[in-house]
Amino acid sequence: MCTVVPISLTVGANRIVPTVAIPYPLGNPALDPADEKELRRKLVEKALKALQTEVTEQTVFKDE
């Protein structure tokens, strides 16, 4: 999970899940608590799916 995809590509990460922003990679304090919890859950679920996905080259798991 990363906030700056080009850096992750440069260092050779094989599974890359983009997150929200540098100061708050897994959240957004501007959202109300329920919406922020939903955002966090979706990001974690996307990361878990990425870990379960077989890859042969660098893969960026974008929003579906």
Side-chain angles (χ1 to χ4, degrees):
M1 300 178 84
C2 69
T3 56
V4 185
V5 172
I7 293 173
S8 295
L9 290 168
T10 300
V11 299
N14 59 356
R15 290 175 181 85
I16 302 166
V17 177
T19 58
V20 180
I22 290 172
Y24 306 104
L26 294 177
N28 182 346
L31 297 175
D32 66 68
D35 290 339
E36 185 173 28
K37 183 176 181 179
E38 181 179 342
L39 170 66
R40 289 178 179 197
R41 179 175 294 277
K42 286 180 181 180
L43 287 169
V44 170
E45 287 174 352
K46 190 186 322 181
L48 291 171
K49 182 178 178 184
L51 288 171
Q52 296 172 11
T53 303
E54 188 171 329
V55 297
T56 57
E57 59 186 31
Q58 287 183 303
T59 305
V60 179
F61 292 85
K62 299 178 183 176
D63 289 333
E64 295 156 6

